[in-house]
Amino acid sequence: MHGKVVVITGATSGIGQVTAERLAGMGARIVAVARDRARGEAALARLRERGPRPAHRAHYADLSSMAETKRVAAEIAAAEPRVDVLINNAGALFNTRQVTPEGLELTFALNHMSYFLMTRGLRERLLASAPARVVNTASGAHRRVGALDFDDLQMERGYRGLVAYSRSKLCNILYTRELARRLAGTGVTANSLHPGFVATRFGDASGGFFAYVVRAAKLISAISLEKGAEALVYLASSPDVATISGGYFYENHLAHPTRHAQDDTAAPRLWDLSDRLA
């Protein structure tokens, strides 16, 4: 990874932090996107310990805001002549329905639209750096839901936090498939992954009884951050996947998502809807 520039969202905690530090240790220069400046500065300090030579950098934005995501992507594009790897990793679960100032349900905005907008904003830098990679953190939680409900993507009816999260992860896989199709022949690949049930801060701030359930489950069955980050590091760096695109990975192997996640009618429809929202 020497000489490679890696842009990663959600790099200040959890598997994003571990991934950024590992890639820095392999020689990559990390461009982290963070919401909180104090956490971002702390992440930069850790990166400099792991990989002191490259000039790691942090940019700040609330990725649940489309305007903020567009701004930070434009800032990075202006500052970086090349982007070799983009890792879309930021995400969260919200137990109660919330709406962004732009009118989007918060889970959909952060977990899906930020992926769409970051990739669109950095597309030219990725193309200029080919061979390059886009890596999208999805989840096996997509198996909890059926087909996308295009009549109610914002979950105005019957909102449930875990269902909203699971739908957003289904969006991640469908989006990755369509992105890979549109990037075919450019030298830029796009893959998604299920990192496993990881002992991160995930769900801790979701509120209500669900937050207690998640904390208890993590004590019993969650894997370590280091284990959870393996697939991100693998997809970002391994020569074994250099020519694979449109795949969904689990434990460093191609896996089979649900049939709804392989719906090549729904994938371009989601893309077109996302493009209109953007």
Side-chain angles (χ1 to χ4, degrees):
M1 297 299 289
H2 287 277
K4 303 286 188 181
V5 176
V6 178
V7 176
I8 178 168
T9 69
T12 62
S13 65
I15 61 173
Q17 174 188 323
V18 174
T19 298
E21 291 173 8
R22 283 192 183 176
L23 293 173
M26 295 165 68
R29 187 164 72 83
I30 304 300
V31 179
V33 181
R35 183 176 60 178
D36 182 87
R37 189 167 293 274
R39 295 178 68 89
E41 292 301 315
L44 283 178
R46 291 190 297 268
L47 289 170
R48 288 164 185 150
E49 291 176 0
R50 293 296 297 269
R53 288 187 179 180
H56 307 297
R57 182 175 294 178
H59 294 260
Y60 298 94
D62 178 355
L63 295 180
S64 69
S65 162
M66 290 194 292
E68 284 280 287
T69 306
K70 290 177 187 178
R71 175 190 59 76
V72 78
E75 283 182 3
I76 294 170
E80 304 294 339
R82 63 182 297 122
V83 173
D84 299 279
V85 182
L86 167 62
I87 301 176
N88 290 304
N89 173 68
L93 184 153
F94 305 97
N95 203 38
T96 58
R97 187 176 188 273
Q98 302 173 58
V99 178
T100 70
E102 293 155 317
L104 298 182
E105 188 276 313
L106 185 57
T107 316
F108 179 84
L110 175 61
N111 294 9
H112 167 64
M113 286 303 298
S114 74
Y115 287 26
F116 185 86
L117 291 167
M118 284 296 297
T119 308
R120 189 175 75 169
L122 296 176
R123 183 177 186 275
E124 295 307 314
R125 293 295 175 267
L126 289 159
L127 291 172
S129 309
R133 309 181 187 194
V134 179
V135 181
N136 294 327
T137 300
S139 172
H142 80 279
R143 300 183 183 281
R144 293 179 172 271
V145 293
L148 280 184
D149 182 358
F150 283 97
D151 293 327
D152 190 25
L153 273 184
Q154 305 304 315
M155 291 198 71
E156 296 180 74
R157 303 187 297 270
Y159 180 89
R160 285 180 290 163
L162 185 56
V163 173
Y165 176 80
S166 300
R167 283 188 183 181
S168 73
K169 297 293 106 178
L170 174 59
C171 287
N172 293 158
I173 301 171
L174 289 170
Y175 166 62
T176 303
R177 288 175 68 87
E178 182 63 12
L179 177 63
R181 187 184 71 80
R182 292 176 182 244
L183 290 173
T186 66
V188 181
T189 62
N191 291 291
S192 64
L193 68 132
H194 170 44
F197 182 46
V198 189
T200 67
R201 295 187 304 144
F202 171 79
D204 290 352
S206 59
F209 180 70
F210 181 79
Y212 293 100
V213 172
V214 171
R215 290 192 192 104
K218 283 187 285 192
L219 289 172
I220 296 168
S221 60
I223 62 175
S224 68
L225 294 177
E226 289 70 23
K227 180 69 175 176
E230 284 181 2
L232 279 173
V233 175
Y234 177 74
L235 288 176
S237 63
S238 175
D240 295 344
V241 293
T243 60
I244 298 176
S245 195
Y248 170 74
F249 284 77
Y250 177 53
E251 294 186 338
N252 296 359
H253 296 286
L254 278 168
H256 294 287
T258 64
R259 63 184 178 87
H260 298 297
Q262 301 178 67
D263 186 341
D264 289 332
T265 299
R269 186 178 179 187
L270 175 64
W271 181 289
D272 291 342
L273 184 147
S274 303
D275 193 46
R276 290 196 300 272
L277 289 173

